[in-house]
Amino acid sequence: MKTTFRMMKTKHLSLLLAVLAGGFLLSCEEDDGAENALLDAQNEINVVDVTTHDGRPFSTGVEPQSNAKYVGGPGGGVMMQGFYWDVPAGGTWWNTVKNKTTAWANAGIKAIWLPPVSKAQNGPYSMGYDPTDYYDFGNYNQNGTVETRFGSKTELQALITAAHGQSMEVYADIVINHNSGGQSEANQYTGGNTWTDFTGVASGKFPRSQHDFHPNWVHSNDGGSFGGFPDLCHDVPYVQDWLWGRSDAVAKYYKNTMKFDGWRFDYVKGFEPWVVSSWNSAVGGFSVGELWDSDVNYLNWWANNANSSVFDFAAYYKMNDAFDGNNLNKLNDDMMWKRNAYKAVTFVTNHDTDEIYNKMLAYAYILTHEGYPCIFYRDYETWLDKNKLNNLIWIHNQKATGNTSILYTDTDEYLARRNGYGGNPGLIVYINNSNSWLTRWVPTNWNNTQIKDFTGHSGWYPTTQSGGWVEIQCPPKSYSVWSPNI
């Protein structure tokens, strides 16, 4: 739906209105000026409703227990990527993350995404993306180590228990496209030797051989080989049985024994979406796929066929174009959260890619908009202002409700409204990528209501007019988030 109005921009030093004690005190001349400015604004603004669902909060799994630290708000949850590339080796990482669970829960983090937890070919130095034994969590002497890079099985279970004690979920990074660390064997399908003999894995579970990889007796290749690693064939019934079918399958062991609540599937371009759908049907839980592609049609097709969420790479690249390319009009472009907000995981950076420079503007965007936002460990713990991120997390959890209407964009301004849901009033976010304070008249859903900027960046407490219009402001290279002062 689209409604056409007009909107006016004014610089901070030429404000038409002064705000005192939550209201406007104006002379007759000022009343005339404000009325003219409002008429100009109403004739200029272009309100575009970008989503069509009812705006319910996003469900990402089990509900928190009443005695837990994390308490879900009306806006849904926030995910923490609980690692970065080359976290410290030496088996200390699980304890590092465990010691942060209380603080993260208090900040409003709903879930933690962990790196691949099983033993991989590079042993104590591996980040886990070269898996050897899916059932070795740091409890077998294999590939030159007992512990994984991150720690022992006991420490991993203690981390999961600690997170659950804070009513947070824990998501496992699942690498099922390729394997590594097998022994060499004569391969009847290639006529040479391949590193496809995994019959001697220390756990004794899911032994694999040349028949379970491409090429094999099913077909020669699935087009999803990665880095020269042996490419697992999901069309083999034996592979399906060990991944999700049998009672001690990988999926069921991770869910029922290790107590994981959900899954991040690595490199899903390497296999068909029915694989993820079958896994999810077998064990449930939250699910998100790493489909590294900016094509929204492809992202949406995959999410629907996989019965899974997907990382919103379309939004990622558009945010880079908008905030670093100095053209916030790019935020009008199509993104996964606009197509299917309930299956979109939005993010600003991750362990693989870190292109956006103006990160706080990007976090202000994803934490006020629809989708399931994911925060990167190093952004939160090291690189950015944790207090500002915590403020945005609170805003997301408490205020970011309802579907979205884009109110205005130009090269350096973006304003959008979350329309509220279930009695929650929603919000208006104002992002300013210019070097000056800016103000705008905007249409709200709140009549004769005092509002405030919940970021604290503005000291204004304006009252909306009887028709819902109000003037708000935003500092340079920053953002403000407005909602009723309740």
Side-chain angles (χ1 to χ4, degrees), residues 122-144:
N122 206 25
Y125 309 105
S126 177
M127 285 297 296
Y129 291 94
D130 50 341
T132 299
D133 188 342
Y134 289 105
Y135 297 84
D136 181 357
F137 303 95
N139 49 312
Y140 294 100
N141 190 351
Q142 185 171 208
N143 292 354

Side-chain angles (χ1 to χ4, degrees), residues 26-259:
L26 303 172
S27 67
C28 292
E29 284 187 358
E30 288 172 324
D31 280 336
D32 291 340
E35 182 177 353
N36 290 336
L38 178 57
L39 288 173
D40 286 340
Q42 290 173 332
N43 287 330
E44 242 177 45
I45 186 170
N46 190 41
V47 181
V48 180
D49 292 335
V50 297
T51 51
T52 57
H53 60 78
D54 59 12
R56 289 172 294 166
F58 297 97
S59 175
T60 57
V62 298
E63 291 302 313
Q65 301 300 312
S66 59
N67 61 348
K69 292 290 186 69
Y70 172 78
V71 178
V78 176
M79 183 196 313
M80 174 69 75
Q81 180 177 352
F83 67 100
Y84 54 92
W85 197 257
D86 285 344
V87 301
T92 63
W93 192 249
W94 296 149
N95 287 334
T96 296
V97 175
K98 182 187 73 174
N99 291 336
K100 295 184 181 296
T101 54
T102 298
W104 288 356
N106 288 338
I109 301 298
K110 181 179 178 61
I112 306 171
W113 156 27
L114 297 182
V117 297
S118 64
K119 190 70 59 65
Q121 180 179 11
N122 206 25
Y125 309 105
S126 177
M127 285 297 296
Y129 291 94
D130 50 341
T132 299
D133 188 342
Y134 289 105
Y135 297 84
D136 181 357
F137 303 95
N139 49 312
Y140 294 100
N141 190 351
Q142 185 171 208
N143 292 354
T145 182
V146 175
E147 292 190 339
T148 67
R149 180 190 190 103
F150 312 113
S152 68
K153 179 180 181 179
T154 300
E155 291 166 340
L156 172 60
Q157 289 176 311
L159 160 57
I160 296 171
T161 299
H164 287 166
Q166 300 294 333
S167 201
M168 290 193 294
E169 299 170 355
V170 184
Y171 304 153
D173 202 318
I174 301 297
V175 184
I176 55 174
N177 176 73
H178 52 273
N179 292 168
S180 188
Q183 302 300 307
S184 178
E185 64 177 342
N187 191 316
Q188 69 187 71
Y189 305 105
T190 66
N193 275 47
T194 55
W195 300 93
T196 49
D197 181 2
F198 292 81
T199 58
V201 290
S203 69
K205 292 181 177 294
F206 196 9
R208 313 176 290 287
S209 70
Q210 59 186 285
H211 310 294
D212 306 311
F213 297 90
H214 298 105
N216 62 5
W217 56 277
V218 180
H219 44 68
S220 60
N221 196 289
D222 72 345
S225 60
F226 181 86
F229 293 120
D231 187 35
L232 201 60
C233 181
H234 304 93
D235 290 312
V236 175
Y238 174 84
V239 172
Q240 296 173 21
D241 197 36
W242 268 107
L243 284 180
W244 62 77
R246 53 191 289 156
S247 61
D248 59 345
V250 176
K252 293 175 182 176
Y253 193 93
Y254 278 50
K255 181 71 178 293
N256 301 326
T257 301
M258 299 303 293
K259 305 300 183 182

Side-chain angles (χ1 to χ4, degrees), residues 27 29 76 87 106 137 147 184 193 218 230 263 269 274 300 318 329 337-338 347 351 376 379 400 414 421 428 471 482:
S27 67
E29 284 187 358
V87 301
N106 288 338
F137 303 95
E147 292 190 339
S184 178
N193 275 47
V218 180
W263 328 101
K269 280 189 174 182
W274 67 262
N300 195 38
K318 292 305 178 184
N329 286 314
W337 74 259
K338 298 181 183 181
F347 67 102
H351 63 293
F376 183 52
D379 285 344
Y414 175 87
Y421 179 81
I428 291 177
E471 190 179 33
W482 304 82

Side-chain angles (χ1 to χ4, degrees), residues 294-358:
S294 62
D295 185 337
V296 181
N297 291 321
Y298 187 18
L299 294 170
N300 195 38
W301 171 85
W302 185 90
N304 289 331
N305 283 275
N307 188 28
S308 171
S309 297
V310 67
F311 282 105
D312 195 346
F313 277 92
Y316 173 73
Y317 287 113
K318 292 305 178 184
M319 285 191 293
N320 187 49
D321 293 342
F323 299 124
D324 293 351
N326 299 313
N327 185 3
L328 300 196
N329 286 314
K330 291 292 185 178
L331 299 178
N332 287 320
D333 291 349
D334 204 1
M335 303 175 192
M336 180 61 191
W337 74 259
K338 298 181 183 181
R339 292 285 191 94
N340 195 339
Y342 294 108
K343 291 184 176 178
V345 174
T346 53
F347 67 102
V348 173
T349 190
N350 63 31
H351 63 293
D352 282 328
T353 182
D354 187 7
E355 294 188 16
I356 298 173
Y357 176 76
N358 288 317

